[in-house]
Amino acid sequence: MSSKLFSINNTVFKCLKTLQDRSARGFSIGAASLGSVNLKGRSCLTLKDFSSDEIKRLLWVSGDLKLRIKHEKQYLPLLQGKSIAMIFEKRSTRTRMSTETGFALLGGHPCFLTSQDIHLGVNESGTDTARVLSGLCDIVLARVYSHSTLEELDKEASIPIINGLSDLYHPIQILADFLTLQEHYGSLSGLTVSWIGDGNNVLHSFMMTAAKLGVHLKIATPKGYEPEKSVIQEAQRLSKEHGTQLVLTSDPMEAAHGSNVLVTDTWVSMGQEEEKKKRLKDFKGYQITLQTGSVAKPDWTFLHCLPRKMEEVDDQVFYSPHSLVFPEAENRKWTIMGLMVSLLTDYTPQIPMLKF
């Protein structure tokens, strides 16, 4: 009898410990509205197209999968019998590895297609490619040079299309960034993120997402490297709608002042190699250092989507306790898994909703 009581008490203790651990990781019971969000069949070209609740739902599913698969060692073949076509016009470590291993871990079959395998708009039109792939797989992730390529695929396909990166947006990176910050700080609302660098696709995705999560955004770019005007206008509208701050400046220290999170990215993207010398000159003074962090909040953290160059951030920051770059890189896997599961199934998270 005593052994049975011990066994029961031990089980209860483990259950309570799990709930405590989840609470400590920022999980809490949230509004019922997120439970009714269903994204099955949708595409994800930009988070501009997703509401606040829909983005929160994606992060919730991602956090759920991470906890259940990584920490609780559960096997969840949610995508068994499904396949994904991964079109890569541009090389990548994180996007390929996270998508390929994540889809396989969920029981699906990933198929990697480079420019040597598929010639979008060359040997076959984007229209024909979209229709062919719609009959051969369940979802497409495309990492492309031009955002218009994604728009053409989405227009003609009958299956979901995911933007793995384009010249205009990088939505799957931002999902990983915000999951990382949610895990670290326990919640997102009220945080201030400061972008110091180029007005590129990653920044555009931050601008389409931050306000919807209650996050203030401060942006420092050199003159001539500002974000797209249409993106700025939409970000200003979103900031006003959600009651957050949006600051644009050319002074890195002004942007960093009072911030919780410092973020940068490459100054020379793929396809801009001929501009490297000029860009390095124009971005002088934009390297993130401990001096930059000295004007931020005491608990400031650092993000970079990688790969990183020394001119963007020095070793003292990159390898410091302030840096979240490696958890951020790992979260590319859990968030792309969360996105794919959300677009392909009716899956409902089993953990309490993330605290936002």
Side-chain angles (χ1 to χ4, degrees):
M1 180 70 175
S2 60
S3 62
K4 286 185 178 181
L5 285 173
F6 174 81
S7 177
I8 292 171
N9 288 337
N10 192 44
T11 300
V12 171
F13 173 80
K14 286 182 178 180
C15 290
L16 289 173
K17 183 67 168 60
T18 299
L19 289 173
Q20 289 171 349
D21 288 344
R22 288 175 178 176
S23 178
R25 299 170 74 85
F27 295 110
S28 67
I29 301 298
S33 60
L34 288 198
S36 63
V37 173
N38 190 310
L39 300 173
K40 187 177 180 181
R42 291 271 298 274
S43 287
C44 180
L45 305 191
T46 167
L47 293 173
K48 175 183 177 180
D49 299 334
F50 286 70
S51 69
S52 174
D53 280 354
E54 289 170 342
I55 294 170
K56 290 175 182 178
R57 171 78 181 207
L58 290 173
L59 294 176
W60 182 21
V61 173
S62 301
D64 172 272
L65 294 178
K66 183 176 183 179
L67 182 68
R68 297 185 68 194
I69 295 172
K70 179 181 180 180
H71 298 289
E72 297 181 349
K73 308 302 180 184
Q74 296 184 33
Y75 176 55
L76 302 176
L78 301 172
L79 301 181
Q80 189 169 13
K82 298 186 184 297
S83 60
I84 182 172
M86 300 164 53
I87 301 173
F88 277 55
E89 292 184 345
K90 304 175 77 170
R91 65 185 182 275
S92 170
T93 300
R94 281 146 298 277
T95 302
R96 178 176 181 181
M97 285 298 296
S98 60
T99 306
E100 197 164 319
T101 61
F103 205 85
L105 186 59
L106 291 165
H109 179 78
C111 186
F112 181 68
L113 303 168
T114 70
S115 56
Q116 302 301 312
D117 306 300
I118 189 169
H119 298 264
L120 279 174
V122 181
N123 288 349
E124 187 169 36
S125 69
T127 295
D128 292 356
T129 298
R131 295 181 181 182
V132 168
L133 291 178
S134 293
L136 298 176
C137 62
D138 300 279
I139 191 169
V140 172
L141 179 140
R143 184 176 171 92
V144 299
Y145 284 98
S146 174
H147 194 74
S148 61
T149 300
L150 291 166
E151 293 174 332
E152 182 180 13
L153 287 173
D154 188 49
K155 179 182 177 182
E156 300 297 336
S158 58
I159 56 177
I161 306 295
I162 295 176
N163 178 0
L165 176 142
S166 71
D167 58 344
L168 194 57
Y169 295 112
H170 197 357
I172 58 176
Q173 177 62 53
I174 298 310
L175 291 174
D177 288 359
F178 279 118
L179 180 62
T180 304
L181 294 178
Q182 194 284 332
E183 290 176 333
H184 181 81
Y185 289 104
S187 62
L188 296 172
S189 183
L191 290 179
T192 297
V193 171
S194 294
W195 176 275
I196 299 173
D198 192 16
N200 64 13
N201 50 2
V202 179
L203 173 58
H204 287 166
S205 287
F206 261 118
M207 295 171 73
M208 294 298 98
T209 311
K212 296 174 184 177
L213 297 174
V215 174
H216 308 296
L217 188 58
K218 299 166 77 174
I219 300 166
T221 58
K223 293 181 179 179
Y225 295 91
E226 297 87 355
E228 294 278 346
K229 288 184 178 179
S230 60
V231 176
I232 293 175
Q233 291 171 352
E234 177 63 11
Q236 290 172 332
R237 187 192 69 77
L238 289 171
S239 180
K240 184 176 180 181
E241 177 184 342
H242 294 278
T244 61
Q245 296 179 352
L246 176 67
V247 176
L248 291 95
T249 179
S250 58
D251 183 351
M253 297 301 283
E254 179 186 348
H257 189 269
S259 177
N260 300 101
V261 189
L262 305 181
V263 192
T264 194
D265 187 14
T266 182
W267 297 347
V268 185
S269 298
M270 282 181 273
Q272 298 175 334
E273 288 80 6
E274 294 182 2
E275 305 172 31
K276 182 175 181 178
K277 187 174 180 180
K278 182 178 185 302
R279 281 178 166 264
L280 291 181
K281 180 181 177 181
D282 293 343
F283 281 84
K284 186 177 180 180
Y286 275 74
Q287 183 190 47
I288 294 182
T289 65
L290 290 176
Q291 183 180 359
T292 317
S294 69
V295 300
K297 294 283 181 66
D299 64 344
W300 67 274
T301 54
F302 172 75
L303 295 178
H304 192 303
C305 66
L306 306 178
R308 158 258 188 174
K309 303 292 190 301
M310 275 289 293
E311 60 265 19
E312 301 151 5
V313 54
D314 66 14
D315 282 350
Q316 285 68 38
V317 170
F318 190 78
Y319 294 110
S320 76
H322 295 286
S323 178
L324 300 177
V325 295
F326 297 112
E328 175 189 13
E330 180 192 337
N331 278 337
R332 286 290 306 275
K333 178 175 182 173
W334 302 110
T335 47
I336 192 62
M337 288 168 68
L339 178 61
M340 295 185 298
V341 165
S342 296
L343 302 184
L344 287 174
T345 76
D346 294 310
Y347 178 74
T348 299
Q350 302 302 299
I351 64 169
M353 191 171 64
L354 287 173
K355 181 179 178 182
F356 296 104

